[in-house]
Amino acid sequence: MVKRILADVKKRNPNEPEFHQAVEEVLESIAPVLDKHPEYREAKIADRLVEPERQILFRVPWVDDKGQVQVNRGFRIQFNSAIGPYKGGLRFHPSVYIGIIKFLGFEQILKNALTTLPMGGSKGGSDFDPKGKSDNEVMRFCQSFMAELYRYIGPDTDVPAGDIGVGSREIGYMYGMYKKIRNEFTGVLTGKGLDWGGSLVRTEATGYGLIYFLLEMLKDLGKNIKGATVVSSGSGNVSIYAVQKLQQLGAKVVAMSDSNGYIVDHNGIDLKTVQRLKEVERKRIKDYVKEHPKAEYVEGCNGIWSVKCDIALPNATQNEIDEKAAKKLVENGCYAVAEGANMPSTPEAIKVFLKNKIAFGPAKAANAGGVATSGLEMCQNSMRLSWSFEETNKRLEKIMQSIHAQAKAAAQEYGQPGNLVVGANIAGFEKVARSMLAQGIV
Ligand code: NDP
């Protein structure tokens, strides 16, 4: 049955390898659940799960600083609303096409289910590249993007957030346009500024959540984070706050990267420098070595996985760890990998980790802290109040512990103890499947 569904997906969505990869992993994991539940098979739950409820494609015209008209493409895939309003980020990156948005939207369904909060799955974005654009150009693009997207979203319908290339600046411009068109102040986007409805901890949430999840993995291994050597790829939102939490806990982070290359600093990365370069000055990671001459810069980002470490955190982008990189990590004595980015390990790399008994935290569980805190932002917006940093952080920590517990229990129940890939897929799927079944064929 699973083979037939995957063949259908490939036929219906040709030339979308990232989407096929995400579906294949989930279908493989949930096959025993489908075997156990004839009612899911009869109601074609899996067939319905892999087909988005709605796909929106639109033109985004805007004018650059030279007065030239530019045209980009906008996407929003509302994948599944069985357990709550659609929820998922927006990605602005030149590599964006419908296959990337579908893979991310599909992953989001099960990830959101794991958070324990009522959120369906969606994702969106554009092939717009914010790199090298002025603030005014980014603003005009975001306004044009929202001038179309506003028709399809709403605080009880679909609540977008940030992702690669979409941070607080972009969320601000999009929120301003939504408010102007709709004439209403609602929690339609998350990741908002703290002065206008944002939640404390949202900025840190994915990175911090990843480390809370990692701590649960380490507990099972009987290892301590203090003194561990860590490599964290990327130097964006997820990587920066994962590194911040690691350093607070006494771990030593020796390498970070961007899409051009990576830095190695055996004294431990100076995060303040990275934050200033990337968050404030919007410069490249290679500029780090100008201020820290003992550190080394290497052009090209894949080599980062050859840097010796105890713990590897792929926090940049999809398929950044391939089989070769995974083998290198194993050879170097790495004992835990937790995914901050979405689908950063190829299927072959995951096989290497599982075969070598490396503790492996898959993205949809390990990086769910971002969307979980977005859920907490929605909750605060509905109540029109805001929680303290400590309270929100505590809730995030509890949610991450719960996600780990759910994935671990499901893996155990289905005879694959310790396999959090299978566990996270099954635990997320069961919640969505039960809800779809209860709501009939819609
Ligand atoms: P950012 O845009 O803040 O940062 C992305 C980082 O990854 C940048 O350092 C970027 O480098 C680097 N990067 C991008 N593409 C590549 C590439 N092809 N090779 C190597 N490095 C690359 O994004 P986020 O930190 O928000 O997102 C990172 C990952 O985490 C994504 O997979 C995203 O889907 C996932 N994620 C994010 C969440 C969030 O809350 N932000 C929540 C859950 C998952 P450069 O500066 O050169 O572009």
Side-chain angles (χ1 to χ4, degrees):
M1 176 175 200
V2 155
K3 275 200 183 127
R4 196 264 306 149
I5 298 174
L6 183 63
D8 286 351
V9 165
K10 288 184 174 171
K11 197 168 158 202
R12 193 176 271 174
N13 307 273
N15 308 315
E16 296 176 10
E18 298 86 356
F19 180 47
H20 305 162
Q21 184 181 332
V23 170
E24 186 164 11
E25 182 204 288
V26 169
L27 288 177
E28 269 175 17
S29 297
I30 64 168
V33 186
L34 297 176
D35 285 346
K36 196 172 152 187
H37 290 275
E39 70 278 23
Y40 293 167
R41 297 199 300 275
E42 274 157 33
K44 294 256 165 70
I45 297 288
D47 288 77
R48 286 194 275 146
L49 190 75
V50 297
E51 180 65 14
E53 288 177 14
R54 191 172 299 109
Q55 306 185 46
I56 303 148
L57 254 84
F58 52 99
R59 182 176 68 197
V60 190
W62 57 283
V63 180
D64 69 18
D65 285 347
K66 292 185 191 120
Q68 304 287 320
V69 177
Q70 302 287 341
V71 181
N72 285 96
R73 181 170 280 183
F75 303 88
R76 187 71 182 167
I77 304 229
Q78 299 178 329
F79 227 114
N80 192 292
S81 60
I83 65 166
Y86 306 108
K87 179 89 195 89
L90 296 170
R91 176 177 291 192
F92 292 168
H93 193 272
S95 64
V96 164
Y97 77 107
I98 196 151
I100 296 258
I101 301 297
K102 265 189 218 162
F103 117 65
L104 290 164
F106 181 69
E107 291 273 299
Q108 200 79 45
I109 306 170
L110 304 188
K111 179 188 306 193
N112 292 1
L114 286 168
T115 65
T116 70
L117 301 172
M119 298 182 289
S122 61
K123 199 82 187 187
S126 173
D127 55 3
F128 173 74
D129 186 0
K131 233 178 266 165
K133 305 285 190 303
S134 70
D135 281 354
N136 275 331
E137 288 177 321
V138 171
M139 181 179 74
R140 287 194 291 272
F141 172 81
C142 289
Q143 290 176 337
S144 178
F145 186 83
M146 187 50 85
E148 180 62 26
L149 185 68
Y150 84 94
R151 300 169 207 282
Y152 310 103
I153 62 175
D156 295 316
T157 310
D158 184 359
V159 183
D163 189 72
I164 290 181
V166 179
S168 53
R169 173 181 63 169
E170 291 75 15
I171 294 288
Y173 294 146
M174 286 191 276
Y175 192 76
M177 195 60 179
Y178 181 87
K179 186 164 63 66
K180 187 179 167 81
I181 299 174
R182 288 273 194 184
N183 193 25
E184 60 181 36
F185 196 106
T186 54
V188 69
L189 292 168
T190 56
K192 298 187 290 300
L194 292 177
D195 295 326
W196 41 280
S199 173
L200 285 161
V201 193
R202 178 60 190 92
T203 305
E204 297 85 354
T206 310
Y208 278 23
L210 176 69
I211 305 308
Y212 298 146
F213 191 90
L214 173 69
L215 291 178
E216 297 303 297
M217 291 165 58
L218 294 185
K219 257 189 223 162
D220 286 346
L221 285 179
K223 302 253 187 211
N224 202 329
I225 191 79
K226 199 163 181 200
T229 302
V230 185
V231 167
S232 171
S233 65
S235 48
N237 175 266
V238 178
S239 191
I240 283 177
Y241 292 96
V243 171
Q244 186 176 82
K245 182 50 78 182
L246 284 167
Q247 293 184 341
Q248 286 169 8
L249 296 170
K252 187 175 179 188
V253 181
V254 292
M256 290 177 80
S257 61
D258 64 15
S259 52
N260 291 110
Y262 65 95
I263 49 167
V264 184
D265 190 340
H266 290 294
N267 292 324
I269 297 275
D270 176 18
L271 188 63
K272 289 239 155 15
T273 306
V274 175
Q275 275 188 284
R276 178 171 39 75
L277 289 172
K278 301 303 280 188
E279 291 184 334
V280 183
E281 298 171 3
R282 295 182 190 272
K283 286 193 176 157
R284 310 306 303 156
I285 201 83
K286 73 170 170 212
D287 295 314
Y288 180 92
V289 294
K290 289 185 195 152
E291 297 173 47
H292 300 273
K294 286 199 179 135
E296 186 194 355
Y297 173 72
V298 184
E299 192 71 23
C301 29
N302 292 356
I304 193 170
W305 307 116
S306 64
V307 178
K308 192 170 161 44
C309 62
D310 300 316
I311 297 166
L313 304 178
N315 288 336
T317 194
Q318 62 273 358
N319 291 328
E320 55 172 309
I321 300 188
D322 59 11
E323 185 177 15
K324 197 170 145 215
K327 283 184 174 159
K328 191 76 198 165
L329 283 167
V330 174
E331 198 184 303
N332 281 342
C334 169
Y335 52 72
V337 177
E339 298 185 319
N342 282 311
M343 209 168 76
S345 313
T346 65
E348 296 76 25
I350 295 175
K351 279 192 191 118
V352 171
F353 295 140
L354 296 179
K355 194 171 145 220
N356 288 281
K357 305 267 182 270
I358 306 284
F360 179 72
K364 69 172 70 67
N367 74 18
V371 73
T373 310
S374 279
L376 300 178
E377 184 173 328
M378 288 165 72
C379 185
Q380 293 167 78
N381 291 163
S382 300
M383 295 190 293
R384 303 225 191 274
L385 49 79
S386 47
W387 298 326
S388 68
F389 191 95
E390 291 67 32
E391 179 169 0
T392 317
N393 191 32
K394 200 79 221 142
R395 285 177 190 269
L396 169 64
E397 195 176 358
K398 279 213 177 105
I399 288 172
M400 296 315 295
Q401 289 166 349
S402 153
I403 295 173
H404 182 268
Q406 290 174 65
K408 189 173 157 182
Q412 188 89 30
E413 187 189 336
Y414 280 87
Q416 301 214 40
N419 186 335
L420 298 179
V421 177
V422 164
N425 284 332
I426 291 180
F429 173 73
E430 287 200 305
K431 183 172 176 184
V432 176
R434 284 193 301 270
S435 308
M436 288 175 72
L437 199 64
Q439 291 167 23
I441 311 296
V442 286

